[in-house]
């Protein structure tokens, strides 16, 4: 973070400065980044004490001070050993400070902000864009899936005077949230990947999802760029909603950044990347044909950032996985391949994972799909889990292992479709599923582990990867 005095921070967050017994003054400078978890605080950092549904960060203010926090942002006075700024709401204050820091860096330097949203693929695309941004100078990118009202500002606050690119993943669980993030860090390049049923239970339907995701491009000025997926009909509609120049990516013939000759197997995906009239072959080691869409989006951004086609291809070929627990290839003993893709799951990504499983299996070898629940689908949950069960059978997946009561409809659907002779099995608990798999997996099997993060199957995927390492 850039250097700011306590007085400047208090003004930015609309708070009241209390120096307490610290000996500090309003002119004291703070330069450490911000944290909302007292366990992650390092010396010199700012601790924002937030009230959550399960706990209250004010309870841990003392621990943050013990860890070396230089400043507390609180809703009520806490530990007076360090300066405190008292605000009405800590989460809002966090966003206000991020807004001010980004404003100052943009005014004083050459900061380019890239915002990325979509129902699927945000983190993968963010990681690919970050790898490209590093080639043009110092960059900051969202860590993990820091893309909400807390994670977004924490990422933004890491920029300083030398940062040339901020790559910000921007997610939402309700209308207005992406607009708030883009107001904090106005993108010069706004990317929309897909509009699907992820979080449909919270959004209330596909049209609400469309409106929410379109917030990424609605307020872009005419000197900005909207990078849009020409293959997604909902994203295509967003071209009518933005004043920005539109850059299309996808496999559609109208896409300026597109792919041809796509071929996938267990080692990754090969395709030819076209940017305008130029083209180059790409060996993309991120597993799954559906990730080509993310690669194309990243390539479009890389081109807008001024990278050459050779630099873009080099960055794509340097990626070995989408991210932790996202199409992560594990195992190897007896030719058994475990693909752990259980960090997130929506109907679209679940379907894509099953198609990938069917595509990458060795000829004549078995495919095993270990599936858990897809969260946050609301009224669509039963229908979408049933649809995935049907798809698993129709793709000819050799065995379906369904884990967790919330995913049971998936198992029932597979049985009703015709998977009745042990091809689909159901387990309430992960331990039972693990024991079954260790006992029954055969040489050369390919196993996909897929669920939403809340279902926790990523841990089962790790156990299987270790068991067959």
């Amino acid at each position: 973070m850039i250097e700011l005095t306590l007085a400047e921070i208090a003004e930015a967050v609309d708070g009241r400065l209390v120096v307490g017994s610290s000996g500090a003054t309003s002119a004291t400078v703070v330069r450490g980044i911000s944290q909302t978890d007292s366990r992650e605080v390092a010396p010199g950092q700012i601790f924002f004490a937030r009230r959550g549904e399960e706990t209250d960060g004010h309870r841990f203010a003392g621990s943050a001070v013990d860890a070396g926090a230089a400043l507390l942002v609180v809703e009520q006075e806490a530990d007076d050993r360090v300066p405190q700024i008292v605000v009405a709401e800590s989460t809002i204050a966090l966003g206000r400070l991020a807004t001010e820091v980004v404003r100052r860096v943009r005014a004083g330097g050459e900061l380019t902000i890239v915002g990325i949203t979509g129902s699927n693929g945000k983190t993968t695309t963010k990681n690919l864009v970050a790898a490209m941004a590093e080639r043009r100078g110092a960059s900051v990118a969202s860590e993990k899936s820091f893309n909400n009202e807390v994670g977004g500002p924490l990422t933004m606050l890491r920029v300083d005077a030398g940062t040339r690119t901020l790559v910000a993943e921007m997610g939402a669980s309700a209308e207005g949230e992406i607009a708030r993030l883009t107001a904090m860090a106005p993108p010069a390049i706004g990317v929309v990947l897909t509009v699907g049923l992820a979080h449909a239970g919270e959004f209330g339907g596909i049209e609400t999802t469309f409106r929410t995701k379109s917030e990424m491009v609605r307020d872009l000025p005419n000197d900005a760029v909207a990078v849009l997926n020409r293959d997604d009909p909902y994203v295509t509609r967003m071209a009518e909603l933005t004043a920005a120049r539109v850059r299309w990516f996808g496999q559609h013939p109208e896409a300026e950044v597109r792919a041809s000759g796509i071929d996938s197997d267990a080692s990754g995906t090969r395709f030819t990347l076209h940017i305008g009239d130029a083209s180059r072959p790409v060996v993309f080691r991120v597993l799954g044909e559906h990730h080509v869409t993310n690669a194309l989006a990243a390539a479009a951004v890389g081109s807008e950032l001024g990278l050459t086609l050779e630099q873009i291809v080099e960055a794509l070929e340097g990626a070995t996985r989408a991210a932790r627990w996202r199409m992560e290839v594990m195992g190897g003993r007896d030719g058994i391949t475990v693909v752990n893709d259980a960090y997130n799951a929506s109907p679209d990504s679940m379907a894509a994972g099953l198609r990938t499983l069917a595509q990458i299996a060795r000829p004549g070898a078995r495919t095993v799909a270990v599936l858990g629940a897809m969260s946050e689908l609301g009224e669509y949950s039963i229908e979408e889990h049933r649809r995935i069960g049907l798809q698993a059978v129709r793709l000819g997946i050799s065995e379906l292992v369904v884990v967790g009561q919330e995913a049971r409809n998936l198992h029932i659907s597979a049985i009703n479709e015709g998977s009745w002779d042990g091809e689909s099995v159901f387990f309430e608990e992960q331990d039972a599923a693990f024991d079954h798999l260790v006992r029954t997996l055969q040489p050369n099997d390919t196993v996909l582990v897929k669920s939403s993060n809340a279902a926790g199957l990523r841990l089962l995927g790790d156990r299987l990867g270790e068991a067959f390492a």
Side-chain angles (χ1 to χ4, degrees):
M1 192 180 86
I2 60 174
E3 293 186 353
L4 293 171
T5 66
L6 293 174
E8 288 172 325
I9 296 172
E11 182 179 4
V13 302
D14 191 23
R16 173 174 59 88
L17 176 62
V18 179
V19 296
S21 61
S22 65
T25 69
S26 62
T28 298
V29 171
V30 177
R31 61 179 61 85
I33 64 173
S34 300
Q35 300 286 359
T36 58
D37 187 334
S38 62
R39 296 167 297 184
E40 298 180 2
V41 171
Q45 295 183 347
I46 305 171
F47 175 64
F48 281 76
R50 297 178 57 249
R51 299 185 195 276
E53 293 181 2
E54 298 181 0
T55 189
D56 183 347
H58 294 80
R59 293 172 51 200
F60 307 102
S63 298
V65 174
D66 292 341
L71 170 66
L72 304 178
V73 178
V74 294
E75 296 172 14
Q76 62 189 43
E77 292 186 31
D79 195 313
D80 73 349
R81 290 177 291 167
V82 298
Q84 304 169 68
I85 296 176
V86 183
V87 297
E89 187 174 334
S90 296
T91 301
I92 292 175
L94 179 67
R96 285 174 172 165
L97 183 58
T99 302
E100 178 64 10
V101 167
V102 170
R103 185 193 69 78
R104 290 187 181 218
V105 174
R106 289 180 70 208
E110 300 179 357
L111 179 65
T112 298
I113 299 170
V114 181
I116 300 170
T117 197
S119 297
N120 299 293
K122 294 185 293 296
T123 300
T124 301
T125 305
K126 176 259 299 181
N127 289 344
L128 294 171
V129 171
M132 295 179 190
E134 290 173 356
R135 286 162 168 76
R136 68 190 295 264
S139 62
V140 168
S142 305
E143 296 178 342
K144 304 174 185 176
S145 294
F146 280 15
N147 60 23
N148 61 11
E149 62 180 356
V150 176
L154 289 176
T155 298
M156 298 167 195
L157 286 167
R158 289 166 46 213
V159 303
D160 59 29
T163 305
R164 291 206 59 195
T165 314
L166 168 62
V167 185
E169 181 180 337
M170 296 181 177
S173 57
E175 287 190 78
E177 291 183 4
I178 292 174
R180 284 192 286 274
L181 291 171
T182 59
M184 294 177 199
I189 303 172
V191 183
V192 186
L193 300 166
T194 57
V195 172
L197 284 176
H199 310 293
E202 296 177 341
F203 284 131
I206 195 73
E207 284 296 332
T208 308
T209 304
F210 164 74
R211 290 194 302 272
T212 302
K213 299 303 181 185
S214 68
E215 292 170 12
M216 174 60 72
V217 299
R218 284 179 183 269
D219 294 330
L220 291 179
N222 58 15
D223 60 348
V225 182
V227 175
L228 302 178
N229 183 355
R230 187 62 181 83
D231 298 333
D232 186 306
Y234 286 97
V235 178
T236 301
R237 285 168 51 189
M238 294 181 191
E240 303 171 359
L241 305 177
T242 184
R245 173 170 58 88
V246 173
R247 189 83 182 271
W248 296 112
F249 67 90
Q251 297 180 45
H252 193 283
E254 292 182 3
E256 184 180 358
V257 181
R258 61 195 185 281
S260 64
I262 300 172
D263 181 40
S264 296
D265 60 25
S267 66
T269 306
R270 287 157 295 284
F271 62 93
T272 298
L273 172 64
H274 304 266
I275 300 182
D277 295 329
S279 62
R280 293 288 187 280
V282 178
V283 179
F284 191 46
R285 290 185 287 170
V286 176
L287 193 63
E289 187 174 306
H290 54 292
H291 282 303
V292 173
T293 296
N294 305 326
L296 294 176
V301 175
S303 177
E304 291 293 335
L305 291 175
L307 272 66
T308 65
L309 181 55
E310 288 72 19
Q311 289 174 315
I312 291 169
V313 171
E314 182 181 283
L316 293 177
E317 294 191 332
T320 58
R321 67 181 183 189
R324 181 77 166 102
W325 298 309
R326 290 174 170 89
M327 299 305 284
E328 184 174 8
V329 180
M330 309 170 76
R333 176 165 63 82
D334 298 330
I336 295 173
T337 301
V338 178
V339 181
N340 193 352
D341 192 34
Y343 188 82
N344 270 320
S346 67
D348 291 337
S349 68
M350 187 77 85
L354 288 174
R355 288 194 299 269
T356 297
L357 175 62
Q359 289 172 347
I360 68 175
R362 294 180 176 89
R366 298 194 323 147
T367 51
V368 180
V370 184
L371 306 182
M374 299 178 287
S375 300
E376 301 176 354
L377 292 178
E379 65 183 284
Y380 301 95
S381 182
I382 293 175
E383 175 187 349
E384 292 302 324
H385 281 92
R386 287 175 175 170
R387 187 172 66 84
I388 293 300
L390 294 177
Q391 184 180 27
V393 175
R394 292 171 182 176
L395 284 170
I397 302 302
S398 306
E399 182 179 17
L400 183 60
V401 179
V402 179
V403 185
Q405 187 62 40
E406 291 185 353
R408 189 179 181 88
N409 279 305
L410 201 159
H411 167 65
I412 294 171
S413 175
I415 293 174
N416 290 339
E417 180 67 9
S419 182
W420 59 80
D421 191 22
E423 292 97 342
S424 182
V425 293
F426 173 77
F427 297 96
E428 288 273 6
E429 304 293 339
Q430 289 190 31
D431 287 347
F434 176 79
D435 292 342
H436 167 80
L437 289 160
V438 169
R439 186 175 65 254
T440 61
L441 285 180
Q442 302 172 17
N444 298 319
D445 280 356
T446 302
V447 184
L448 170 71
V449 183
K450 180 75 173 167
S451 75
S452 286
N453 192 29
L457 262 62
R458 66 193 185 282
L459 305 177
L460 176 58
D462 284 345
R463 291 177 68 188
L464 289 171
E466 293 170 2
F468 292 99

